[in-house]
Amino acid sequence: MSLIQKLVEKGKIDQKTANSLKEKLGTSNETEENFLLDQKIIGQDYLFSLKSEILNVPLRKDAETLEIPNEILALIPEESARYYKIIPLSLKENILEIGMVDPEDIKAREVLLFVARQHRISYKISLITLDAFEILSKQYRNLREEVGAALEALETELGKGEGVELAVSEKPSIERLAEEAPIIKMVAVILRHAVEGKASDIHIEPTTKKLRVRFRMDGILYSSLFLPLAVHPSIVARVKILSNLRIDETRIPQDGRFTAKIGEKEVDFRVSTFPIKLGEKVAIRVLDPTEGLKSYKELGLTGRNMDILKEAAKNPYGMILATGPTGSGKTTTLYALLQILNKEEVNIVTLEDPIEYFMGGVNQSQIRPEIGYDFPQGLRHIVRQDPDIIMVGEIRDEESAALAIHSALTGHVVLSTLHTNNAVGVIPRLIDMQIKPFLIPPALNIAIAQRLARVLCPYCKEKVKPKKAMKEIILKELESLPGEVTKKLKIPDPFYLYEAKGCKKCNFKGVKGRIGIFETLKMTDQLAEIILKEPSELKITQEAERQGMATMRQDAILKALEGLISMEEVMRVSEE
């Protein structure tokens, strides 16, 4: 029985929908499973439970939490495991339990027969989900073990053991070492583990005794690896070679970029070197296209915030400004907008520093201040490209602000970012940048402020009763919520909050991923009048309340009540 027909049997879809899905499936090159997942007909967990019923193969629901001993993993080589999506789970009484994503794969079954004959054991099959397979397959690789092996190989090649010392001044030696297999392997392993661990940044920094490698995951830096200081110059040199930076220049900062294939995807890495007392520090931003391009829902936009943004995106001209501190997800929000706006009939041109994610159909331009190609110059030339939509990475100064406003007033949609603490601060900031107040109302459509909050691990979060002081804070914020929000809001009495203790699935951190918290201010006749007469933050805040704007703190509290984030996270990221 097919999965589509099984959905009919379970009453999840009717026969008419099933026939339509079968017709679409027939014209696609996808498997039935991938098709149903891509169409978002059902989730992965439910799909595999149906598959378990159809094939009469038990589904191993706890697979993601298993710790597989190395000797059992070694029974099936990593290359074979990844190619056939099979993995050994346990060995008991000469019976090897195998996790399979597709038990109907004949070639995979042949591999299992070979393994069983080779090791003189029997095997049984359990079904595992794609997510479980991806998590388990990472156990083949251990960051410290892989880098340790590369270090041993380097020491063997040098023939000097652990006491090897490298002088920074020995440029030919450093350059040669940077091209040696162990150093290449070491850097490649660090990059791969960062991507697989969904790190946003890699920090390679010398300390007095060791070379420290840290990964930023979910906004927090974690020490992931300590290496001998001796390898510091050659690791930095290897990163510089990849980024086309000068190896012999260690006195001034340098910026570069490179692309590497990690698994099946091309990932961009943005590199910045910085001279410090102990040598050179390297910061690498990981720009994984599969992680960076998100939908509104994935961003955390809901309710009024999402409605206003969607409405603003339909306007044929005007500015949409995303604001917040560095690292608050502003550019990701603009990319989400670009995905919606990116259509055949419009010409989209961007000015970015740097280009973070490549988007097909969008004309993306990298500014280069060192040769005089900055945001103002780029904006002057961009209008000659007959654009419909312009994205400017950041409004940094009076000149770029004036040009962006002018572009919005002359019939273009302009997307950009600004640094302010909240949405109401956008208008005073533009006025500070010498924009005449009467130009702002016809040019600005909306200002959206945001922060990023860490999401509680869905596997280990638990309901908890809020303490009295915390309950009072929440109730006070809920009372001041706009009427249109409270109408749709159903807060149970008593209400609960959520906490996560940490488990294997979140590496015992209690958090897994990040989500945006937002506040959105739109241009109205009343706001236009305030801008012309008395554009103070107090007056603009009063108008924001009249509009029904929920503040970032209120948006965060609503997400905490949903169980998405903790109240500690609410207090950490939201403004008073």
Side-chain angles (χ1 to χ4, degrees):
M1 181 186 288
S2 72
L3 286 163
I4 292 174
Q5 207 53 47
K6 190 73 174 176
L7 287 170
V8 175
E9 185 185 290
K10 293 278 187 181
K12 297 294 180 182
I13 58 173
D14 56 31
Q15 192 59 54
K16 185 180 177 182
T17 304
N19 293 338
S20 173
L21 289 171
K22 285 176 184 176
E23 191 176 329
K24 287 180 184 176
L25 176 61
T27 59
S28 75
N29 295 320
E30 292 184 293
T31 63
E32 189 182 24
E33 291 168 31
N34 289 339
F35 173 77
L36 289 173
L37 291 172
D38 289 346
Q39 294 288 316
K40 294 184 169 47
I41 304 299
I42 50 174
Q44 192 178 127
D45 289 344
Y46 188 66
L47 182 144
F48 275 85
S49 68
L50 289 182
K51 196 172 172 180
S52 173
E53 286 183 35
I54 294 168
L55 301 177
N56 198 26
V57 175
L59 175 64
R60 189 72 191 258
K61 292 182 179 178
D62 66 340
E64 292 180 22
T65 64
L66 295 176
E67 197 74 45
I68 307 169
N70 288 336
E71 60 271 18
I72 292 175
L73 277 176
L75 294 173
I76 297 178
E78 182 184 355
E79 291 74 17
S80 299
R82 287 189 174 274
Y83 186 80
Y84 294 106
K85 289 189 168 49
I86 56 177
I87 194 161
L89 302 177
S90 64
L91 180 63
K92 292 176 184 174
E93 297 175 355
N94 222 35
I95 298 173
L96 181 65
E97 183 183 7
I98 303 288
M100 292 187 77
V101 171
D102 185 7
E104 294 179 293
D105 187 335
I106 303 301
K107 293 286 185 185
R109 292 273 194 165
E110 289 173 1
V111 170
L112 295 183
L113 283 170
F114 174 78
V115 169
R117 285 198 297 267
Q118 186 183 31
H119 296 285
R120 296 179 182 177
I121 54 177
S122 302
Y123 71 87
K124 66 176 183 178
I125 292 171
S126 292
L127 186 65
I128 58 172
T129 66
L130 278 163
D131 284 348
F133 174 77
E134 288 302 323
I135 289 169
L136 289 171
S137 61
K138 288 176 185 175
Q139 293 188 31
Y140 275 106
R141 298 164 170 177
N142 180 285
L143 178 61
R144 287 173 180 80
E145 286 177 10
E146 285 192 270
V147 173
L151 273 171
E152 284 179 24
L154 178 64
E155 288 166 359
T156 302
E157 284 186 24
L158 292 170
K160 294 181 182 179
E162 291 184 8
V164 62
E165 290 185 8
L166 304 173
V168 178
S169 60
E170 296 173 14
K171 283 181 282 191
S173 173
I174 296 299
E175 191 167 352
R176 178 184 64 78
L177 278 172
E179 297 286 11
E180 292 286 348
I183 290 294
I184 291 173
K185 170 78 172 171
M186 220 176 291
V187 173
V189 166
I190 290 168
L191 295 177
R192 193 185 69 239
H193 276 269
V195 172
E196 290 181 350
K198 301 188 188 304
S200 61
D201 300 87
I202 306 164
H203 290 246
I204 300 170
E205 48 205 358
T207 66
T208 52
K209 294 181 180 178
K210 296 278 185 180
L211 177 65
R212 179 172 65 172
V213 179
R214 293 192 288 172
F215 292 164
R216 186 179 295 279
M217 294 188 286
D218 300 327
I220 305 295
L221 277 170
Y222 296 94
S223 293
S224 300
L225 190 65
F226 287 94
L227 299 170
L229 265 180
V231 300
H232 172 230
S234 46
I235 287 210
V236 172
R238 176 62 191 161
V239 173
K240 284 184 172 180
I241 288 168
L242 289 170
S243 315
N244 289 319
L245 301 179
R246 287 182 57 186
I247 296 173
D248 59 342
E249 181 56 81
T250 61
R251 301 163 300 167
I252 59 172
Q254 296 186 72
D255 293 320
R257 187 182 188 122
F258 67 92
T259 301
K261 190 168 185 180
I262 308 291
E264 297 300 314
K265 57 190 174 183
E266 297 282 338
V267 179
D268 283 339
F269 297 91
R270 193 173 85 207
V271 176
S272 173
T273 68
F274 189 75
I276 60 173
K277 185 179 179 180
L278 298 169
E280 278 187 289
K281 179 185 185 302
V282 179
I284 305 173
R285 171 64 57 90
V286 182
L287 302 170
D288 184 345
T290 60
E291 295 296 318
L293 298 177
K294 298 181 184 292
S295 66
Y296 289 153
K297 188 177 179 182
E298 289 170 321
L299 288 173
L301 278 162
T302 56
R304 177 185 179 273
N305 289 328
M306 184 166 67
D307 293 341
I308 289 176
L309 192 58
K310 281 183 175 178
E311 183 186 331
K314 291 176 185 175
N315 288 345
Y317 62 89
M319 291 179 74
I320 297 174
L321 290 180
T323 185
T326 302
S328 59
K330 301 185 298 292
T331 305
T332 305
T333 298
L334 295 188
Y335 273 109
L337 259 171
L338 282 184
Q339 287 182 93
I340 303 297
L341 297 169
N342 187 12
K343 294 175 183 173
E344 181 71 27
E345 61 268 24
V346 295
N347 177 26
I348 303 176
V349 187
T350 75
L351 286 173
E352 302 177 60
D353 182 25
I355 297 169
E356 295 204 6
Y357 302 103
F358 293 103
M359 291 185 72
V362 176
N363 303 292
Q364 296 172 269
S365 182
Q366 165 76 55
I367 70 157
R368 299 191 183 280
E370 68 274 12
I371 58 170
Y373 180 46
D374 53 16
F375 282 124
Q377 188 185 36
L379 271 165
R380 286 192 200 96
H381 287 278
I382 229 173
V383 291
R384 298 172 195 164
Q385 289 291 316
D386 184 31
D388 297 290
I389 299 161
I390 299 168
M391 186 181 98
V392 186
E394 185 184 339
I395 293 175
R396 293 180 178 174
D397 51 39
E398 293 174 12
E399 193 176 5
S400 57
L403 288 164
I405 287 279
H406 179 72
S407 298
L409 290 171
T410 51
H412 303 96
V413 173
V414 179
L415 313 179
S416 193
T417 69
L418 203 62
H419 286 285
T420 66
N421 288 330
N422 49 37
V424 299
V426 165
I427 291 157
R429 178 76 180 114
L430 288 173
I431 293 170
D432 286 344
M433 298 175 93
Q434 304 304 310
I435 300 299
K436 291 182 171 60
F438 72 86
L439 293 176
I440 296 173
L444 181 65
N445 285 338
I446 65 165
I448 182 163
Q450 64 183 91
R451 299 285 189 279
L452 289 177
R454 290 174 291 172
V455 177
L456 288 168
C457 173
Y459 301 101
C460 61
K461 69 179 181 184
E462 297 174 347
K463 275 185 180 182
V464 292
K465 281 188 176 181
K467 292 177 182 176
K468 187 181 177 183
M470 189 63 74
K471 188 174 181 179
E472 285 173 1
I473 291 171
I474 294 167
L475 289 173
K476 185 181 175 183
E477 290 290 348
L478 292 178
E479 282 171 13
S480 60
L481 273 170
E484 62 180 84
V485 177
T486 52
K487 280 178 192 174
K488 300 173 185 176
L489 202 58
K490 292 180 181 178
I491 303 295
D493 187 19
F495 62 81
Y496 292 89
L497 297 174
Y498 293 80
E499 291 177 358
K501 294 178 180 177
C503 63
K504 284 185 180 179
K505 291 187 180 183
C506 61
N507 290 327
F508 299 97
K509 293 172 191 158
V511 289
K512 200 172 185 181
R514 289 189 290 174
I515 196 167
I517 59 170
F518 299 90
E519 61 183 33
T520 310
L521 178 70
K522 67 178 179 178
M523 186 56 64
T524 60
D525 293 340
Q526 293 90 334
L527 181 56
E529 195 174 332
I530 289 167
I531 293 169
L532 294 172
K533 290 181 178 178
E534 190 185 343
S536 66
E537 283 209 25
L538 175 62
K539 290 285 185 182
I540 298 168
T541 300
Q542 289 170 352
E543 165 57 17
E545 290 171 359
R546 190 203 64 77
Q547 285 183 18
M549 183 188 88
T551 65
M552 279 186 284
R553 168 158 288 193
Q554 289 166 342
D555 188 42
I557 285 173
L558 293 177
K559 286 181 169 72
L561 293 173
E562 285 180 55
L564 293 172
I565 63 178
S566 67
M567 271 307 292
E568 286 74 13
E569 193 68 0
V570 171
M571 307 305 283
R572 186 181 75 84
V573 300
S574 63
E575 297 289 331
E576 283 288 359

